[in-house]
Structures are given as C-alpha cells and as structure tokens.
Amino acid sequence: METKKYAFGVDIGGTTCKIGFFDTTGVLLDKWEIHTDTSNAGEGILEDVADSIRRKLQAVYEAEEREASPETGRECVAKNFPRDLMSEVQGVGVGVPGPVTDFRVVHGCENLGWGTVDVASKLEGLLEIPVKVENDANMAVLGEMYKGGGRGSKNLILVTLGTGVGSGIVCGGNIITGHDGAAGEIGHMVVDMEETVQCSCGKYGCLEQYASATGIVRLAKTKFGLKSVIPGEELTAKQIFDRAKGIYGTTASEADTDALAVVEHIGKILGIALANVACVINPEVIVIGGGVSKAGSILTETVQKYFVPNAFGECSRAKFALAELGNDAGIWGCLKLLLK
C-alpha cells in the first residue's frame, strides 16, 4: 500500500488531548493540545479532536494555496477545502487510557467517562480518514521504539513511573495486547503478599503501591519515616532522589542516608519485578519513563543491580535506558502504528 504524505497522532488524556501533525517520512511538523471535555460522559471528545484536525488541514490547504498562487489572495472556506488534501492523509492514530481490541474499540476509560466505545468508527465517520486506536501505554512504547530510548530494538518494555505504574511491551516489533487488550499491566503485579493497604485497583501489594511517585512517597514516610527537608513543602519523589544524590549537602546528611535506603528498597522491588517480567518477555531493552525517571542513573543503576542476579540466564542481559520522548512518546507511537 502506498504511504501518503501526512498523518496525525492523538494522545487522549484526562486533562488534555495532545495532537501531532506529521510528515510520514518521520518529521513532526506541528504539535498542540486541546482541552479534554469529559462532561456528559466525554461525548464531545472525539468531535473536538475531529474539529482540531480539520482546522489544521484547512490551515495547510490555505498555506499551499498561497504558495501556489500568491497573487490571487484567494480565501478558502473550511467546509469546502478539497478532498484531494484529505486523500493525502495516511490516517489518524489515537492513544486512549484504556484496553483496546482490534485497534478500534476501547473497553472503558474511567477518567474520560467512557464505557465501551468504537473510537475508530466514530472518528472515521467524522473525518472520513482511516483511524487506528491503541492503549496509550502501548502507543508510548511504539514511540520509544521508533524515535526514543528503544531505537534499534524490536523487543522492549517501556515502564512508566508516574502517578501510577504503566507499561507497554513490544515483541518482534509487535505490541503485545492480550485477549482483552489489557496485557502489560505490570503495575498491578502483586509483589508483597503481606501488604494491608489496598491498591486503587482493589488488590493488595501491587507494584504500583511502591514504584509509582505516590507509592515512593508513601513508602518513604511509613517505612523509613522520611519528612520533607524543604520548609513549607511536602515530601516528593523528586526530593527523595535528590537527597539520595546528596543535592541538599551536609545539612541533610542523616536524611540523605535514609533517602538512599528508600531508593535501594524501591530499586530492589522494581528490579525483581522486572526480572520476573523479563523471564516471560526476554526484552533486549527496558526503557524507564514517567516523571520518576527524571532521577536518572541513580534509578536505573539501582534497579539493574537487583535485576541482573534475579533474571533468568540470557534474560539478564537486557539493557536499561531512559525514555527520551517524554509526553510526545504517544503521538510518535501513533505515527508508527499507522506506518506498520
């Protein structure tokens, strides 16, 4: 099939929709955000996305018209712009925060207000452009494989450590989605059978309760008794890693020792969890992303220290890398999915 000139990537989040406009040779031509309107069970979200894409295509058409006939100054009306410009669009890739089947149907997005929604059919009806849909974490891992920390690999895991713990898995260049589109939810692997605090998913002792930003802070407070050393500020995961790196100097020397103990504990939990995942997936690269990944090498080196001796044989040779695309990973993954 012939590859067309343009493509769109849309990463739908609970607060904003990030939209990327691409040349299919792999150039990001423009990116922007629109508000995610979750009122009325999110019924207007896809219409807003479609309207934003139409406006971008209108702007492209007008620019091309001015370049072709600058002397005419001819104005164009959005609803009448030529169908041949639409025919130059490869498609729209859409990342959504929920499980997806057949690259079309999402089965519940609580923070969008959606139940089961055929996102592809609805957006195709609005735009008359092909649409492919996938879970946002899966889009992100495709993005990191294509242009980020996993470049050059076809077997990788992306683990995002933020408010929660998310993951996307690629084997042989293909996303692992599972029967109901819920594969890769490693944040809800049970890693502590003795945990008495309930996870947001309803279970106890999930990885997310220890390795997410909120989990790290909870663990630091309850198990290690850490308190903020910055007057007027709450303890954060960033502060914990900064203290472990000695950024606050001798004024917090005792706290730095405790912060190092927290990092060591987190690294052990995450390293062993990833070693277990690697025994099933055998990745070449494990990419760490999300806000916590900004801690850098102190995080990856500590995790790797516990990963290597606990992973099986050849699986222990997996390399660790930091994610490189940040919040743009999803839109790049959308482009990669469209080009596959």
Side-chain angles (χ1 to χ4, degrees):
M1 185 178 69
E2 180 185 357
T3 301
K4 299 179 181 180
K5 186 175 182 180
Y6 299 119
F8 288 91
V10 182
D11 186 2
I12 301 179
T15 304
T16 62
C17 299
K18 303 173 187 68
I19 304 177
F21 178 49
F22 294 91
D23 182 310
T24 53
T25 61
V27 177
L28 178 60
L29 301 172
D30 196 8
K31 64 177 180 177
W32 65 97
E33 296 182 359
I34 62 172
H35 172 65
T36 303
D37 183 3
T38 57
S39 62
N40 299 317
E43 66 178 11
I45 294 172
L46 295 179
E47 290 183 4
D48 290 344
V49 168
D51 181 64
S52 189
I53 288 173
R54 281 193 294 264
R55 287 176 182 275
K56 171 54 68 176
L57 287 173
Q58 173 65 18
V60 171
Y61 171 52
E62 291 178 357
E64 289 181 352
E65 284 292 298
R66 285 193 299 271
E67 184 176 350
S69 304
E71 71 284 354
T72 65
R74 183 152 51 97
E75 293 186 359
C76 311
V77 180
K79 64 180 180 181
N80 292 325
F81 68 85
R83 299 303 308 167
D84 60 358
L85 180 59
M86 301 288 279
S87 70
E88 292 183 31
V89 179
Q90 181 81 10
V92 180
V94 183
V96 294
V100 176
T101 54
D102 301 320
F103 300 112
R104 300 188 69 82
V105 182
V106 62
H107 300 277
C109 291
E110 185 176 337
N111 60 347
L112 301 182
W114 289 354
T116 298
V117 179
D118 189 338
V119 176
S121 292
K122 287 193 172 186
L123 202 52
E124 285 171 347
L126 291 165
L127 289 170
E128 300 182 42
I129 298 173
V131 174
K132 283 188 176 182
V133 186
E134 188 47 88
N135 172 265
D136 53 2
N138 289 339
M139 287 299 201
V141 71
L142 278 180
E144 289 292 339
M145 178 184 76
Y146 182 35
K147 291 285 186 178
R151 280 190 308 277
S153 173
K154 292 185 177 180
N155 296 278
L156 66 152
I157 303 171
L158 169 66
V159 183
T160 55
L161 309 177
T163 305
V165 173
S167 174
I169 300 171
V170 171
C171 285
N174 297 310
I175 306 167
I176 301 299
T177 58
H179 176 64
D180 292 310
E185 290 287 354
I186 71 168
H188 298 289
M189 292 172 53
V190 176
V191 296
D192 185 356
M193 297 291 291
E194 307 303 318
E195 180 61 67
T196 58
V197 176
Q198 193 174 37
C199 178
S200 61
C201 75
K203 299 191 299 179
Y204 294 83
C206 292
L207 178 63
E208 185 170 290
Q209 292 183 271
Y210 312 101
S212 65
T214 49
I216 291 168
V217 172
R218 180 185 74 91
L219 195 68
K221 288 179 177 179
T222 58
K223 188 175 180 66
F224 294 89
L226 253 67
K227 297 179 181 179
S228 176
V229 294
I230 305 175
E233 288 191 15
E234 289 291 320
L235 183 66
T236 64
K238 180 181 184 304
Q239 186 190 132
I240 293 166
F241 280 99
D242 284 348
R243 287 162 64 175
K245 289 186 274 190
I247 285 176
Y248 294 98
T250 56
T251 58
S253 58
E254 185 177 347
D256 286 346
T257 301
D258 291 337
L260 276 168
V262 174
V263 172
E264 194 76 11
H265 190 72
I266 295 160
K268 181 177 182 179
I269 293 172
L270 186 56
I272 293 174
L274 290 174
N276 291 333
V277 174
C279 288
V280 180
I281 305 301
N282 187 22
E284 179 185 4
V285 183
I286 298 174
V287 182
I288 308 293
V292 175
S293 71
K294 293 178 182 177
S297 61
I298 189 174
L299 172 65
T300 54
E301 289 173 6
T302 306
V303 171
Q304 192 166 21
K305 179 170 73 173
Y306 290 97
F307 171 86
V308 172
N310 287 289
F312 170 76
E314 289 77 5
C315 300
S316 67
R317 295 203 293 265
K319 297 177 289 186
F320 279 76
L322 292 170
E324 297 178 6
L325 300 179
N327 290 333
D328 290 346
I331 60 174
W332 278 106
C334 290
L335 174 62
K336 182 62 176 176
L337 184 64
L338 290 170
L339 297 178
K340 283 176 66 66

